[in-house]
Amino acid sequence: MHGHGPPYGADMSPEAVQRLHSIMPSVLSDLKDLVRIPSVGADPARAADVRRSADAVAALLRDAGFAEVDVVEAGGGPAVIANHPAPEGAPTVLLYAHHDVQPTGDPAAWTSPPFEPTERGERLYGRGAADDKAGIAAHLAAFRAYDSEPPVGVTVFVEGEEESGSASLGALLDTYRERLAADVIVIADSSNWDIGTPALTTTLRGLVDCVVEVETLKHSVHSGMWGGVFPDALMVLTRLLSTLHDDSGEVAVAGLHATMAADVEYPADRLVAESGVLPGVEQIGKGSVVERLWAKPSIAVIGIDAPSIAESSNTLVPRARAKVSMRIAPGSDTDASMDALVAHLESHAPWGAKVTVTPNDRGDAYEVDATGPAYDAAREAFREAWDGVAPIDMGVGGSIPFIAEFADRYPGAAVLVTGVEDPDTRAHGIDEGLHLGEFARVCLAETLLLSKLAER
């Protein structure tokens, strides 16, 4: 693969690993073909492209030799399910990825066109090149490495609306419960700790958000005639939003849960480089960086509806709205966390202003006891694929709510959250890119994992 792969030697590899090395150029070619399809699930104008993407994934799975492949829907984006039966006495492994992608933002801001996969240096750039079409390609690579006869049963489930919140995932899991049943579930939608250091994601924060509206007047009034007597809505809104944090930047909403974070050091220079923080901007909150990112709640104001500067006039604004997004710590009760946020906003309205809070999206946090045979197999596979470097258990500050749905539907299955991303992947952002060397190791690790799971 243009020199991007790890060393594949007979001393470490069964026949499947040798075959994997030979098919990697075609795996990369298949990935590029998928990236060329602009499967932006949140854009209604791209619905035909999302369907075309699902059909392309299904075709790749059929060509790989899966016995049963179908494009399915349950009121949302098209998903793909492929099944290959397990040999007698062997476990079944479900391999998850998603084929829908985020919008690109301004295409002119990209160094190369977002839907024209482009190799520069050690990376393949393009929307979905990592998140998460590389996950699909890795699953195909592992299956093909066994010449379509893996030592375990393999089910591939490729979702079509993950970037839009997986609204129909529960219905899909219910409708196709038997086809998706597995002993081990591999979710290829997370990240590794760094280039050269693999990871298993063992915690993810959950998410709740709401829209808060404040009203102070029945209609706008002249700011000279009435200013100084009654507050305008923007004044109220900014004061209300400021109560969500204390002076140190700690979340000040009562009743929220926090937990312990993995014992991992996040270097200061890496934090600055990866976050894009401006010089002089101070950190907020208390505790280590990973505690604040992985194990504690955080709140962001992600949108405000109010008159624009261009359309402003010398009047007191009668009403204004803001969207408040809160990440919740692993182990949190999602509904209780939403209730706490709503109660705080309703009870902190200054000057008797009318406050209306409308709860919106919510997604469960994820926390797993990453012990047992499946996790042992994964750690062995990762260690071999990364030349002896042991994987770390890491948290992720973001949310993948659907993982909790898998765990709920299949409580007996071991859920392994892995991924193809690295700290500079820029998933969801401009110039999203896949590190090709790490991608080769991911494919190798998954190939080894299937073999090791068969031995347990």
Side-chain angles (χ1 to χ4, degrees):
M1 199 165 104
H2 308 297
H4 297 299
Y8 297 89
D11 58 327
M12 65 173 287
S13 60
E15 182 181 339
V17 173
Q18 296 293 342
R19 189 178 296 111
L20 175 67
H21 180 55
S22 69
I23 66 173
M24 285 306 295
S26 65
V27 170
L28 181 59
S29 177
D30 291 340
L31 173 57
K32 290 179 178 179
D33 287 343
L34 291 177
V35 172
R36 291 187 178 99
I37 304 174
S39 52
V40 182
D43 183 356
R46 295 290 193 184
D49 291 316
V50 176
R51 178 70 194 203
R52 184 160 61 95
S53 176
D55 290 340
V57 171
L60 288 171
L61 291 164
R62 291 188 188 100
D63 289 345
F66 278 86
E68 186 178 7
V69 181
D70 293 288
V71 177
V72 299
E73 295 182 34
V80 185
I81 301 175
N83 299 93
H84 185 83
E88 183 68 28
T92 294
V93 182
L94 172 67
L95 306 175
Y96 170 95
H98 63 87
H99 69 92
D100 63 312
V101 300
Q102 281 280 324
T104 63
D106 181 7
W110 288 65
T111 305
S112 51
F115 293 113
E116 182 50 51
T118 304
E119 288 190 52
R120 291 194 303 276
E122 291 294 307
R123 290 188 179 271
L124 174 69
Y125 291 91
R127 175 59 86 229
D131 184 19
D132 185 30
K133 292 178 178 179
I136 302 168
H139 297 334
L140 282 162
F143 187 79
R144 291 173 56 200
Y146 288 97
D147 201 18
S148 305
E149 290 295 336
V152 294
V154 175
T155 297
V156 174
F157 178 41
V158 181
E159 193 190 353
E161 59 174 359
E162 191 276 341
E163 300 292 10
S164 303
S166 300
S168 70
L169 177 62
L172 286 169
L173 294 179
D174 290 338
T175 303
Y176 301 97
R177 179 182 292 269
E178 294 305 316
R179 285 191 66 179
L180 296 173
D183 302 289
V184 179
I185 300 172
V186 179
I187 307 286
D189 194 25
S190 189
S191 178
N192 287 305
W193 176 241
D194 204 354
I195 300 297
T197 304
L200 284 169
T201 297
T202 57
T203 65
L204 291 131
R205 291 194 292 190
L207 171 70
V208 299
D209 65 40
C210 65
V211 173
V212 56
E213 181 177 64
V214 300
E215 298 176 86
T216 58
L217 299 158
K218 294 179 180 178
H219 51 76
S220 58
V221 295
H222 194 288
S223 62
M225 297 291 290
W226 296 103
V229 176
F230 297 112
D232 65 81
L234 278 172
M235 185 191 309
V236 171
L237 180 62
T238 55
R239 286 179 70 97
L240 175 58
L241 295 176
S242 72
T243 69
L244 293 169
H245 298 86
D246 66 18
D247 289 342
S248 73
E250 279 282 289
V251 170
V253 175
L256 298 178
H257 173 72
T259 186
M260 301 293 292
D263 185 17
V264 177
E265 179 66 28
Y266 205 129
D269 56 346
R270 177 176 160 184
L271 176 66
V272 170
E274 292 172 5
S275 66
V277 67
L278 294 176
V281 175
E282 299 177 2
Q283 293 184 32
I284 61 173
K286 300 174 183 177
S288 70
V289 171
V290 295
E291 283 177 322
R292 285 174 282 160
L293 284 178
W294 300 347
K296 299 177 71 174
S298 67
I299 294 179
V301 179
I302 61 175
I304 290 179
D305 286 342
S308 67
I309 293 175
E311 297 174 346
S312 62
S313 62
N314 279 319
T315 56
L316 301 184
V317 176
R319 65 185 56 84
R321 302 193 308 162
K323 187 170 185 179
V324 179
S325 175
M326 182 168 74
R327 304 286 174 166
I328 58 177
S332 299
D333 181 289
T334 306
D335 292 338
S337 299
M338 177 73 87
D339 291 344
L341 177 59
V342 171
H344 178 98
L345 291 167
E346 290 179 340
S347 64
H348 282 75
W351 301 309
K354 179 182 178 182
V355 172
T356 304
V357 183
T358 304
N360 197 4
D361 292 333
R362 63 190 74 201
D364 293 334
Y366 169 76
E367 186 172 26
V368 65
D369 176 15
T371 59
Y375 299 99
D376 293 342
R379 291 187 176 97
E380 289 177 13
F382 277 55
R383 187 180 296 109
E384 291 182 28
W386 267 266
D387 300 331
V389 177
I392 68 167
D393 288 355
M394 63 177 278
V396 172
S399 308
I400 309 180
F402 68 78
I403 294 178
E405 294 198 59
F406 277 102
D408 179 64
R409 296 309 197 285
Y410 305 106
V415 181
L416 308 177
V417 183
T418 66
V420 299
E421 299 176 22
D422 65 84
D424 198 32
T425 290
R426 306 182 194 183
H428 296 198
I430 301 298
D431 284 348
E432 175 184 345
L434 172 72
H435 190 282
L436 293 170
E438 292 300 282
F439 176 62
R441 294 184 188 277
V442 167
C443 294
L444 175 58
E446 191 164 299
T447 301
L448 293 169
L449 175 61
L450 297 183
S451 177
K452 293 179 184 298
L453 289 173
E455 298 168 359
R456 282 170 163 76

